[in-house]
C-alpha cells in the first residue's frame, strides 16, 4: 500500500513539474514570469463570411486591439516594440458556425445564415527574441458559445433574435471580448523556469 502511495505521489509530482505539450521550443527555455511582449504580427483567417457580421479586416483589427488591451491589463504588454522582452507572431482562424436549415421547415421561421450559433477559434503564437523563435504554442477551441452569467444574457438576446427573425449579429462583440482571453491565459502560463 505504501509503495502504491509513493508511486502515485511521484507520478503526480512528475506531472506537475512537466510543461504542457502545447509549448514547443527548439531548446530549453526560461522566460521570466514578468516578461513583456509586443505583437509583431496578428493574422486572422475568417471562415464563414456573411454580410450580417463583421468583415474579415474589421474582425482582425478588433480582435488584435482587444488582445493588446488584455495583455496590457495583465501587465504583460510592453510600452514599445524596442522595450519588449519578446515579440509575438499570432496566426488565428475564426470560423463562424451559421445556422443553415438548407431550406427546411426552420427556414420558414428564421432566415438561414442570420444566427451565429457558435465559433471555432484556433491560434498559433510564435514567441521570438532577437529574430529567433524561443517557443511556440497552438490551440484549437471548437464549438465555443457564450457561457457564464453574461453568456446567459447573451444567449437570451440570441433567442429573441431567433423569435423576431432579426438575427444576432451583435453576438460577435461578445466573442471579440472573450476569445483573446485564451491567448492571454496561454501567454501568462508560459513556463518560467
Amino acid at each position: 500500500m505504501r509503495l502504491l502511495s509513493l508511486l502515485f505521489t511521484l507520478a503526480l509530482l512528475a506531472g506537475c513539474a512537466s510543461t504542457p505539450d502545447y509549448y514547443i521550443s527548439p531548446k530549453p527555455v526560461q522566460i521570466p514570469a514578468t516578461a513583456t511582449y509586443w505583437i509583431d504580427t496578428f493574422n486572422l483567417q475568417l471562415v464563414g463570411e456573411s454580410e450580417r457580421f463583421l468583415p474579415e479586416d474589421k474582425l482582425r483589427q478588433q480582435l488584435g486591439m482587444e488582445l493588446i488591451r488584455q495583455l496590457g491589463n495583465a501587465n504583460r504588454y510592453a510600452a514599445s516594440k524596442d522595450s519588449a522582452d519578446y515579440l509575438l507572431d499570432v496566426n488565428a482562424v475564426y470560423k463562424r458556425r451559421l445556422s443553415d436549415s438548407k431550406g427546411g421547415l426552420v427556414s420558414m421561421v428564421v432566415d438561414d445564415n442570420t444566427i451565429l450559433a457558435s465559433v471555432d477559434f484556433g491560434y498559433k503564437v510564435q514567441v521570438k527574441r532577437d529574430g529567433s523563435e524561443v517557443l511556440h504554442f497552438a490551440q484549437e477551441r471548437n464549438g465555443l458559445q457564450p457561457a457564464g452569467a453574461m453568456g446567459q444574457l447573451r444567449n437570451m438576446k440570441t433567442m429573441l433574435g431567433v423569435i423576431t427573425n432579426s438575427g444576432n449579429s451583435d453576438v460577435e462583440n461578445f466573442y471579440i471580448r472573450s476569445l483573446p482571453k485564451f491567448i492571454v491565459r496561454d501567454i501568462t502560463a508560459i513556463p518560467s523556469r
Side-chain angles (χ1 to χ4, degrees), residues 68-76:
I68 290 170
R69 188 186 72 74
Q70 290 185 22
L71 280 169
N73 288 346
N75 294 320
R76 302 307 287 275

Side-chain angles (χ1 to χ4, degrees), residues 11-83:
L12 183 64
L13 289 174
C16 293
S18 63
T19 61
D21 291 338
Y22 57 86
Y23 293 110
I24 301 169
S25 61
K27 57 185 177 183
V29 63
Q30 286 191 322
I31 294 180
T34 57
T36 58
Y37 302 89
W38 183 265
I39 297 178
D40 200 26
T41 60
F42 184 85
N43 297 312
L44 177 77
Q45 177 189 356
L46 171 63
V47 178
E49 191 74 47
S50 172
E51 68 277 353
R52 294 187 70 106
F53 298 95
L54 292 173
E56 186 174 34
D57 58 339
K58 192 160 185 105
L59 186 62
R60 178 185 308 110
Q61 177 190 17
Q62 289 187 18
L63 277 170
M65 293 304 295
E66 183 64 19
L67 177 57
I68 290 170
R69 188 186 72 74
Q70 290 185 22
L71 280 169
N73 288 346
N75 294 320
R76 302 307 287 275
Y77 202 69
S80 68
K81 184 175 180 177
D82 293 333
S83 67

